[in-house]
Amino acid sequence: MRIILRLILLGLIFCFLKPSLALENFSALRVDKSSQIFLPSTLRESVLIQNHFSVFWWNFILVEANPWQEVVTLCEGLKSISSELGNSEGVAQVECQPRPEDYKSILGAWAMDLPLRKEMPKSIHGDLQKTKALLSLAGHEMSELLLNDPLQTWHQLRDLFQMERRISLSKKDGIYLAGDKALLPIKMSFPPDNTNRTMKLISSLPQNIQLLGPHKSYLENENVVMSDVKKVGLASTLSFLGLTLFFAFSRRIHLTALIVPILFSVLVSSYVVQWIYGSIHGLTLAFGSGIIGLALDYGLHGALGSESKHTWTSNALGFLTTAVGLIVLSFSEIPLLRQMSLFGLMGLSLGFLLMYFLLSKFTRFFRVEPLNVPPRIPFGLSLTLVCVIAGVCGLSFSEPNLSMKRLSFESSNTLGKLFLNQAPLLRFHYSLELDESVRELQWARENQVAVENLAVYLPPLREQERNIATWKDCHRGFSSPQDRKLFGNHVLSLCLAKPRSRSPYVEHLISSLGPGDSHLSLFWPKDSIEDNMIREKFKDARSLQDITSVVPKTLKAELGWMFPLSLILVALTLGYFERRFLPVCLALLPFFTGLGLVFIFNWGLGREFSFITLVGLVMMFGFSIDYGIFMNDVYRGEENFKKVVSALVFAALTNLAGFAPLLTAEHPVLKDLGVALFFGTLGSFIGAVGGIPAIAARFQRLGYGAK
Amino acid sequence: MLLVTAGWAFAGEAGIKALSEQSKALSEQNIEKIFATSKADFKAEFVQIKTLASLNEKIKSSGRTSRSGDRLVWEVKHPSFLKVTMTSQEIVIDTGESKPEVFKLSDSSTFKGPMLGLSSLLLWLNPKAKEISEKFQIYQRGERSFTAKPLMESSLGLIEFTTDKGRRIQNFVFKEKSGDEIEITFKYKSGQ
């Protein structure tokens, strides 16, 4: 009967293990792969910029300049599939060997909007004669341009659109050169977060090209997240197989059954998170392996201490302190961390309840004999002291790198250095009112600063109306039927112009995807002096780098209260149950040893101490205190040393098995979490099993442990 | 209108095909002979007729032109003043009012492409046999009438020209693939 039950359990484990560790393949589960979830609400603007303003949809193709004919063919090929209105290929514009027909609709709209910008010139009919003279010797393309724009307004638009002022590169045959490579600016007709379309476009391009820019960065980030999820999933499977083998060889195979409720909890939590957020992020899903390790501690402690009534009280206290860490984490401004916290809290709570239910109902089945552990860890106290000193020093002197770049995988940061003289400065205007844009333009002209905003292209509506009024009778006075035939229709349209605040040539600066229409002003400083000048005049002018650097400051402030609050809340919770100072300090000891070991390994491996490392430590704060609580029970005479240490060995092993896969990840978020949680577990174990017995033994002489 | 355009293009292609079948392209030496006396500087008056295929309209203009070494000045007097100065480096368009517009030929920037039709005029009015033979195949149609077919893919379909007794270009017709056409007739000043 016992054998049959074990076989059923192993079957169940297998059934749950497979789908849970490959959750991203679960058809009902919508896995989010974007990097937007890293960004706190203070950074929404930057997401909005990249996805909603098409001025940021430019990418750059780098291709070997030799043989040149291949570059020309690539340029022609891209032009043949480009469409300003968007098409299935997704190429809106390509900046190489420019021709008027590439800008047909924009040039057409610009020419038709002349009455919005200027009063009717008195010499309009003389100007048309000049155009006729030019038309007489122009080629077909030029003729088409002149017939659609007989007052030759395209000169001004060309000057406004010239990318030369932004790209400091030489040209050959109308194609930019960057060293021995040709550079082809390519504008997509879809936002960077549409990675499926980016992938499709890249697959249609030749193999030897290199794409740089926002679209490629999004795709790269997503690919790394998904490859990490797969890698972590595989490593988790191997870790749990190893753990199962360990249980099998130590004749405790039935303990693997404890994985079933944990996997069930992960599965349920995944669906609940999806129900709340609409999807679950790949990183949250990968984080499931860590949650499994956390919740299993209570089951293992319960199985080893099944004879003691106090075991589940300690488990409950441990759960409470871990939950405190996760609840504090849920106040983070980073949506990903909030989602992870919710996921962890739900998984942990459900796991805890299921464990309690299982171990209460099947007490005899799960009962295990403790390991034959030695009464003391050699050098336990010395190791503990080294770790504590390292932890305190690290907390005092280590300066974490809280840059947002650590939250995102990006291999193409060289783009800016490639050709931009100075990063542009941005200003947002949350309406289509032009008054502020006009002020910007006026100031920029007075100070000879390059600016691109709506006022550059369109005057305010009042001025437009004044200008249009002067064009009322513009169609009169044609001297010949030929002039009427050549230019009549166009001029008549000019007479009928109407004021407007949007036009194809300003669409790249306008977003209507947000709550309302908003527009963007772009200043292009030549150097740092001009950059400072713009910032002084317009206090809210910021570069994209400025926007992302707001986050580290916010996060630093966040940590300033997150860590002390967690410490105070946990100390209060422990104090409430323990009623004495020393057990509270001892329960906190494993956290400080864990912290110390993380610092030691970070210094040793030359790794930076990132925001994510700190977040990992907040989580470690929860489970390391569990270890302290369990060990405290021994010195209160409520638990057996061997049983508690055995439970901690199993718990630490499951944690290590859960967190080790994260060390294999390439994404900085997962890697930093892996380092913090793996070495944090190890350090916590040293503090709990090596430090607490040694310190408690000294205090026992002073009466500690006696109730 | 599309039919008209297509018809023009078809006629051009068919003409070239017939030419290729009937006669051989002239060698560089023969091209040199055609333009032997055209190398001297000159001054001339011209009448130019531009045909816009899409509107089925002809625009007539007239003016004077002069060449001095590598520099060609094309001055339109009617219907309005327009002066185009061409060298192998640049094209300068002066309408007589605002600042003249300069198109650098060495660095093709935005929208310079359409002006290239003008620069090819320089090639024919300051002819260099080697350069012409690298860019065109020339067929002799009559005693003093010729057809030039571009060797590289371009919007230009073909060029037809005739020379006078002094072997100077007298009549010049640019036929574009679109069906647009520019016909220029030169009247050289006496003694040139």
Side-chain angles (χ1 to χ4, degrees):
Chain A
M1 185 63 191
R2 201 175 165 89
I3 292 168
I4 293 168
L5 197 58
R6 282 182 185 187
L7 282 172
I8 292 168
L9 274 169
L10 278 172
L12 275 171
I13 289 166
F14 186 76
C15 290
F16 271 99
L17 200 66
K18 199 168 181 291
S20 300
L21 294 176
L23 276 172
E24 77 278 11
N25 295 327
F26 232 51
S27 58
L29 214 55
R30 286 185 295 280
V31 182
D32 176 17
K33 295 172 275 180
S34 74
S35 52
Q36 287 182 25
I37 199 160
F38 295 114
L39 302 164
S41 54
T42 47
L43 266 190
R44 289 281 151 76
E45 275 181 354
S46 73
V47 177
L48 189 83
I49 291 170
Q50 294 223 333
N51 287 325
H52 291 191
F53 289 96
S54 67
V55 70
F56 293 101
W57 296 359
W58 282 98
N59 286 258
F60 301 88
I61 287 177
L62 267 178
V63 60
E64 287 294 334
N66 196 17
W68 185 249
Q69 191 49 42
E70 278 184 21
V71 180
V72 173
T73 309
L74 177 66
C75 165
E76 283 166 358
L78 287 168
K79 272 172 177 272
S80 70
I81 59 165
S82 68
S83 158
E84 287 169 31
L85 301 171
N87 52 18
S88 59
E89 281 83 4
V91 180
Q93 215 174 315
V94 188
E95 276 281 333
C96 60
Q97 301 191 320
R99 300 164 306 188
E101 66 192 53
D102 301 338
Y103 305 89
K104 206 170 177 179
S105 70
I106 285 176
L107 286 172
W110 177 255
M112 297 300 273
D113 285 352
L114 178 64
L116 279 58
R117 300 188 297 272
K118 284 185 177 166
E119 288 184 7
M120 189 182 85
K122 289 192 172 67
S123 58
I124 181 168
H125 293 289
D127 293 345
L128 291 174
Q129 292 310 305
K130 286 187 196 311
T131 301
K132 206 160 99 175
L134 190 58
L135 198 56
S136 69
L137 50 94
H140 176 70
E141 280 185 31
M142 190 66 179
S143 303
E144 289 287 306
L145 179 68
L146 291 170
L147 287 170
N148 288 318
D149 183 15
L151 293 170
Q152 297 188 53
T153 61
W154 60 271
H155 293 277
Q156 300 125 36
L157 191 64
R158 176 199 58 190
D159 295 343
L160 294 174
F161 270 15
Q162 251 177 8
M163 291 192 75
E164 278 86 344
R165 72 175 177 211
R166 296 164 214 173
I167 299 179
S168 52
L169 292 176
S170 60
K171 268 181 163 185
K172 181 186 172 185
D173 298 340
I175 297 172
Y176 288 107
L177 283 175
D180 55 356
K181 293 201 164 135
L183 183 126
L184 282 68
I186 173 172
K187 189 182 181 183
M188 310 301 189
S189 62
F190 56 91
D193 62 350
N194 192 341
T195 48
N196 283 338
R197 289 196 74 181
T198 307
M199 212 145 57
K200 198 178 151 198
L201 178 66
I202 288 176
S203 65
S204 69
L205 293 173
Q207 296 279 311
N208 60 340
I209 67 121
Q210 190 189 352
L211 186 72
L212 301 173
H215 288 71
K216 182 65 191 300
S217 285
Y218 260 78
L219 182 67
E220 221 168 30
N221 207 50
E222 188 178 294
N223 285 345
V224 171
V225 169
M226 285 323 284
S227 119
D228 277 356
V229 168
K230 284 200 172 85
K231 215 188 291 177
V232 169
L234 180 70
S236 298
T237 312
L238 293 173
S239 293
F240 279 104
L241 278 175
L243 199 66
T244 311
L245 283 174
F246 169 74
F247 283 139
F249 279 109
S250 61
R251 296 187 179 180
R252 292 175 182 87
I253 186 71
H254 55 292
L255 283 181
T256 49
L258 292 174
I259 294 169
V260 177
I262 302 304
L263 292 180
F264 179 74
S265 308
V266 170
L267 206 60
V268 171
S269 307
S270 304
Y271 283 106
V272 175
V273 165
Q274 179 177 290
W275 179 67
I276 295 169
Y277 285 87
S279 63
I280 181 165
H281 198 270
L283 291 177
T284 308
L285 209 52
F287 194 64
S289 60
I291 298 295
I292 292 167
L294 279 175
L296 209 56
D297 296 1
Y298 308 119
L300 293 167
H301 189 220
L304 278 146
S306 56
E307 285 155 11
S308 167
K309 285 180 182 175
H310 198 73
T311 303
W312 279 100
T313 313
S314 297
N315 274 347
L317 188 58
F319 164 73
L320 217 58
T321 52
T322 308
V324 163
L326 288 170
I327 288 168
V328 171
L329 191 67
S330 73
F331 287 95
S332 167
E333 283 195 34
I334 296 182
L336 173 70
L337 298 178
R338 286 203 301 272
Q339 196 184 77
M340 278 184 177
S341 156
L342 177 73
F343 182 72
L345 206 56
M346 273 190 304
L348 198 63
S349 309
L350 190 60
F352 180 84
L353 291 172
L354 287 170
M355 286 295 171
Y356 180 70
F357 174 78
L358 268 180
L359 286 151
S360 309
K361 288 282 172 195
F362 305 100
T363 311
R364 284 186 61 195
F365 174 78
F366 284 107
R367 184 175 295 159
V368 282
E369 287 304 310
L371 295 168
N372 192 20
V373 290
R376 273 185 192 177
I377 288 188
F379 308 109
L381 187 61
S382 315
L383 282 172
T384 302
L385 284 174
V386 168
C387 289
V388 169
I389 291 167
V392 173
C393 288
L395 274 182
S396 313
F397 305 116
S398 181
E399 187 63 36
N401 176 7
L402 302 178
S403 162
M404 279 302 289
K405 281 185 181 166
R406 296 280 304 158
L407 299 184
S408 166
F409 181 90
E410 203 176 319
S411 69
S412 52
N413 270 333
T414 49
L415 181 64
K417 292 172 197 161
L418 195 65
F419 61 83
L420 286 177
N421 294 326
Q422 191 88 21
L425 295 175
L426 323 167
R427 285 189 84 203
F428 290 99
H429 306 285
Y430 294 98
S431 75
L432 291 184
E433 277 292 315
L434 291 181
D435 294 347
E436 186 54 26
S437 296
V438 171
R439 271 192 289 278
E440 285 171 355
L441 183 61
Q442 203 173 350
W443 178 85
R445 279 179 181 160
E446 280 165 12
N447 294 281
Q448 293 180 321
V449 171
V451 67
E452 189 173 6
N453 67 7
L454 285 196
V456 166
Y457 301 98
L458 283 168
L461 292 176
R462 297 181 301 276
E463 202 179 317
Q464 287 184 28
E465 279 163 8
R466 272 201 305 273
N467 291 336
I468 287 169
T470 64
W471 288 79
K472 206 175 158 191
D473 299 320
C474 71
H475 61 293
R476 290 184 188 163
F478 279 111
S479 54
S480 72
Q482 187 181 58
D483 289 359
R484 199 169 291 119
K485 188 173 180 183
L486 292 173
F487 311 121
N489 284 342
H490 180 81
V491 174
L492 188 63
S493 311
L494 297 181
C495 305
L496 301 172
K498 293 265 185 301
R500 56 159 94 195
S501 53
R502 296 187 75 145
S503 207
Y505 48 83
V506 290
E507 281 307 310
H508 61 296
L509 296 174
I510 295 177
S511 159
S512 54
L513 298 173
D517 283 339
S518 53
H519 72 272
L520 193 68
S521 297
L522 287 158
F523 290 89
W524 299 90
K526 280 198 294 286
D527 46 35
S528 56
I529 300 166
E530 236 178 61
D531 186 277
N532 288 336
M533 206 163 86
I534 298 163
R535 286 174 194 269
E536 207 158 292
K537 176 67 185 170
F538 304 105
K539 303 287 181 204
D540 58 342
R542 287 173 294 175
S543 66
L544 275 176
Q545 288 92 324
D546 291 339
I547 294 170
T548 49
S549 71
V550 169
V551 180
K553 289 176 194 163
T554 317
L555 297 183
K556 210 166 186 177
E558 206 170 68
L559 278 166
W561 61 263
M562 215 183 245
F563 180 69
L565 182 69
S566 302
L567 198 69
I568 291 165
L569 286 176
V570 168
L572 285 174
T573 313
L574 288 169
Y576 178 78
F577 286 98
E578 299 285 358
R579 306 277 175 192
R580 281 186 298 175
F581 184 67
L582 188 63
V584 174
C585 291
L586 284 182
L588 290 173
L589 183 71
F591 170 69
F592 284 96
T593 50
L595 187 70
L597 202 66
V598 173
F599 274 116
I600 290 168
F601 270 86
N602 261 328
W603 292 327
L605 297 171
R607 290 187 63 80
E608 279 183 309
F609 202 92
S610 74
F611 169 74
I612 293 298
T613 313
L614 285 167
V615 168
L617 293 182
V618 173
M619 293 196 58
M620 189 199 79
F621 186 71
F623 69 78
S624 62
I625 291 164
D626 293 356
Y627 298 178
I629 293 167
F630 299 165
M631 284 304 288
N632 262 343
D633 288 349
V634 176
Y635 299 99
R636 268 201 304 263
E638 285 164 346
E639 289 279 10
N640 175 282
F641 177 81
K642 276 191 177 181
K643 285 186 177 177
V644 172
V645 172
S646 299
L648 290 190
V649 168
F650 291 142
L653 276 176
T654 51
N655 263 14
L656 294 175
F659 299 137
L662 298 178
L663 295 172
T664 64
E666 277 178 52
H667 202 288
V669 170
L670 285 177
K671 187 102 178 174
D672 289 352
L673 265 175
V675 169
L677 294 172
F678 184 84
F679 294 110
T681 301
L682 212 56
S684 303
F685 182 79
I686 291 170
V689 178
I692 293 178
I695 295 169
R698 276 161 179 75
F699 278 95
Q700 263 175 338
R701 288 179 215 137
L702 300 170
Y704 172 64
K707 269 209 160 182
Chain B
M1 201 52 66
L2 267 173
L3 275 174
V4 175
T5 313
W8 275 102
F10 180 74
E13 290 296 316
I16 287 296
K17 202 176 170 191
L19 268 173
S20 310
E21 283 165 3
Q22 285 166 19
S23 55
K24 273 186 176 178
L26 296 180
S27 64
E28 191 186 321
Q29 286 76 16
N30 285 333
I31 296 170
E32 185 75 39
K33 280 179 196 167
I34 299 172
F35 297 108
T37 53
S38 302
K39 290 185 176 176
D41 294 348
F42 68 84
K43 282 181 181 171
E45 291 193 341
F46 68 83
V47 173
Q48 184 175 298
I49 297 167
K50 161 84 186 219
T51 305
L52 288 164
S54 59
L55 292 174
N56 194 19
E57 187 68 25
K58 288 183 190 301
I59 303 168
K60 190 177 173 185
S61 59
S62 58
R64 62 185 177 192
T65 179
S66 63
R67 202 203 74 207
S68 174
D70 191 28
R71 188 166 175 268
L72 179 75
V73 178
W74 195 263
E75 198 176 308
V76 181
K77 286 182 173 174
H78 177 82
S80 178
F81 174 79
L82 179 74
K83 187 176 170 184
V84 183
T85 308
M86 289 171 258
T87 64
S88 52
Q89 275 82 44
E90 63 184 25
I91 299 175
V92 182
I93 299 178
D94 182 6
T95 57
E97 278 180 4
S98 52
K99 200 180 154 193
E101 185 125 23
V102 182
F103 295 90
K104 292 276 177 201
L105 294 176
S106 52
D107 169 30
S108 39
S109 55
T110 317
F111 303 157
K112 187 214 66 185
M115 307 311 292
L116 284 173
L118 289 174
S119 70
S120 68
L121 201 60
L122 186 66
L123 180 68
W124 294 97
L125 295 178
N126 182 20
K128 292 181 178 73
K130 189 173 186 306
E131 205 179 330
I132 289 176
S133 65
E134 279 168 4
K135 292 180 177 171
F136 293 90
Q137 277 186 323
I138 298 184
Y139 302 92
Q140 189 155 10
R141 289 184 294 140
E143 193 188 348
R144 289 197 296 266
S145 61
F146 305 88
T147 298
K149 181 194 168 192
L151 286 168
M152 279 184 290
E153 187 59 35
S154 76
S155 58
L156 182 66
L158 57 90
I159 295 169
E160 286 175 354
F161 63 94
T162 57
T163 54
D164 61 11
K165 285 178 184 170
R167 291 183 179 177
R168 293 172 305 192
I169 289 180
Q170 193 176 40
N171 184 271
F172 204 82
V173 187
F174 285 90
K175 288 186 175 177
E176 292 193 70
K177 284 177 181 165
S178 63
D180 284 4
E181 196 178 290
I182 301 174
E183 183 178 358
I184 307 166
T185 309
F186 296 92
K187 189 179 172 188
Y188 294 93
K189 291 200 172 171
S190 55
Q192 291 195 43

